[in-house]
Amino acid sequence: MTSYLSTWWAALRVARREASRARGRSALVIAMIALPVLFLAYAAVSYDMFHLTRAERATRAMGAGDAYVSWQFEGPIGQMLPDDLGYDFMEGTKPASHTTAQLLGALPAGGRAIRYTRSAVRMRTVTGIGDIDAVGLDVGDPLARGMVQLLRGRAPASDGEVAASESALARLGVGLGGQASMSNGTHAYTVVGVVELPSRLRDTLVFRPGAAPNTGPDNERNPDTGGWLVDTPAPISLAQVRALNRRGMVILSRAVLLDPPPAPPQASGAGNTLSLGGVVAGVALLEIVLLAGPAFAVGARRRQRDLALVAANGGTPAQLRRLVLADGVLLGLLAGVLGLAGGVLLAFAGRPVLEAHLTHYRAGGYRVFPTALLAIAALAVLTGVLAAVVPAFVAARQDVVAVLAGRRGTPRSRKRWLFAGAGLCLLGVVTSGYGAVRTSTDLIVGGLALGELGLVLCTPALVGLIARIGRLLPAAPRIALRDSARNRAAAAPAISAVMAAVAGSMAMAVYLGASHERDALSYAQSLPTGYAMITSSAKLDGPARDTVTRILRGTLPASQVIALQTEACPPGAKAGYSCRIAVKLPAAQVCPFGPEEFPLPPARQRAAAHDARCTGPGATSWSFGSLTGGAWVDDGQNVAVLTRAAAADAAAAAATLRAGGVIVPDPRFLVDGEVTLEATTEADPGASQQPANAAPVSRTVRVPGYALSSGTMRTGTFSVMSRAALAKAGMGTQFAGLVAVTSRMPSQAEQDRLRAQISALSDAYQVNVERGPRTSADSMALILALAAAAIALGAAAIATGLAAADGRADLATLAAVGAAPRVRRVLSLSQSGVIAGLGSLLGSVAGLGAAFAVLVALNRPWVDKWPAPSPYPLVVPWLNLGIALLAVPAIAMLSAGLLTRSRLPIERRRPT
């Protein structure tokens, strides 16, 4: 044992001496390992900071109190999870309002409660008028400690005072002691304090309880979403929570949050999140190993002669392997230390940026996740050893005589390795596919590992195949391809490193793209993103319409303003009646599982989930009979602009409207190219004078129809009808609003300015800007995507730098025989292009396959559930794919060109 340890100690001393002698190469090796370690440490530390502990979550939700209570119902409610505010209505539940005294009477005696409300208020801003979050809370009360922090000034002491966040003050254009005015000018509030709510780093105003106005979007009063912060003599137990649920209360108890009961099976999407996290961890491990491989391959190649001399002087193969493995231990340890330090510093420095622009809440604190960092450090050392294993065995088996003689032949890839690689790729695809169907993280990660290792084994053969086209290229690229084929032992690991980095980046890009597309499919969009619409409860015609049109053109990047019409009762209709029109779904397409059956038993859920009549975008809105989201009126002039459909699709839709037809969002409404309209006239319950005969009257007609397959209407719940179709159904038209067709998304300042100018005309006008669906991708997924992209770019540059270092002798030879500096630069650029280009191509294929396997696994648990959320679509992020195939090689080539010196020292030649 002592002899074994002494040989390792000697090997480590040799490794340290070699690292000090070849500082440049050692720095590149350390950088290659430290780069993924740095970003893994960054992601781990950021996750630990932004993943709030149970105690921090409780403080953000209820301050220093023992519970947060919302009591808006009279009768039982079903709180889904005791640590969440989600609930279901129960039979006999009715809306009701309660006082603080009633709440204290229902809670254990000796408690105390303060009011906490949330709403929105329309205020005058620097650029116009905007909606700002409003909170009603006594900032100075001890129970509010932790929910709100007073930064400067004091807490509001009267109904005419307000405290504001820093961002709200900037938006309002006032300072401490200034006046913040409501949009209608009826009230002005004195700003007496500057506050911060750690759970919502957005524009926020804090009023005294009961003083917060509620003039939310479009001047519609939102339901009260507030409650009470409660301090009780003893903690509120889970049994008490359930008992108070039966009285209509929704409760977050600190005691339950700190010690929650076991979650019921499939109570949340935690299984999917865990599966995704396991796949990310597995891919990261494989990526680090492949990234570090070329570093040690180049190092072992540069030390071939030294190792051969050791062998010639009696060194055993085990000792040779130990010398190379010692490099892995030493450099892996150094890379781990530097990567961890850099990751922690980067996470700490980037925390304010993530808080302000990504998470919009304060991190729990500066902490470093020591368990994860220790694991990452061990991973760095293990990676160094694993990456050095193959070069170590290759070095131990090298031909000593050939190396000392300086001979280097042209190796050929053995077909057995090519067949083995192809077999591993196929096995990896099958394993990952089976793992996706079985929702098994282990199988998915195992399949991905087999697939990437198979691509690694195929890489030398691919290099040789590509080298055959070199005869058609100019001198420098021809030499680069030939050199890559001759030095496959160095080129293949570098290509594998780029492949691994690009695969991780591409996989995250696919996941984020699928999340965005899924959100879009779940979102019923009325207008193309960025469009603005002005509606009015009063008549908007003549000069008033011209004025509003001028305002839209003057405040927004509007290229066109369209006066939109909708359906209405026909001219001459009797007062007291309302008219509506709906597109009827054919009887054969109506979902046979009615909403009155909810919730369905598992067998019927499975049947509904696999019934095409009950699924698809918008199906939950109209699969039970008709499309009732209203109609836009157009005779073909504006349908292309209003739907942003593809050119051919929009042209067919316009032709249908000109023929007196109707445009629908789904072909299931069509029967032989026609749709069925049902016009209904019935008594208007809001009319001041009710008609004598209140029985509804319906009329059904058939008109030409067309289903758009592109644009924003495909997820909508409305239709586009021609005037002729409405007239045939006995309906008229009325003004619905003005739509501004914009060239880009309006800024918040432009929207505030628009709202201010429109509000100055009349309070009857409402402004709505279509901002599209909000993405559901969590902050950690975005952090990982940024880290993966940075690793891909950095790895491509470092891998090509290592390959260039290995080919420095060839560049010196070219210089010795008279090659111009330009030729040497082009040679370096070509070598980098071969490595980065082939690596990016293989990485894109591997990344797409990995991401598709993960998305199938995420969709799998919902296959037999109904109703179910929209599945993750299998989409190809073409922009990211183009960046991977073009930008990564371009950056690598640019780095090689900048780092290739015009004058190179003559390499010392070994005697042969």
Side-chain angles (χ1 to χ4, degrees), residues 621-647:
S621 301
W622 45 255
S623 60
F624 300 117
S626 59
L627 188 67
T628 58
W632 291 350
V633 180
D634 183 61
D635 289 328
Q637 301 93 335
N638 299 314
V639 64
V641 176
L642 291 174
T643 63
R644 286 276 179 91

Side-chain angles (χ1 to χ4, degrees), residues 505-529:
S505 176
M506 184 59 61
M508 291 305 305
V510 172
Y511 171 73
L512 291 178
S515 296
H516 180 76
E517 185 69 17
R518 180 195 190 211
D519 294 334
L521 291 174
S522 305
Y523 180 72
Q525 191 160 343
S526 58
L527 290 169
T529 303

Side-chain angles (χ1 to χ4, degrees), residues 591-593 598 600-616 619 668 859-869 871:
C591 179
F593 305 94
F598 293 165
L600 296 177
R604 289 179 65 78
Q605 280 197 46
R606 190 178 305 110
H610 295 278
D611 193 323
R613 296 170 295 179
C614 305
T615 58
R668 283 176 276 191
N859 291 333
R860 182 63 185 171
W862 297 100
V863 169
D864 295 328
K865 300 290 191 304
W866 189 85

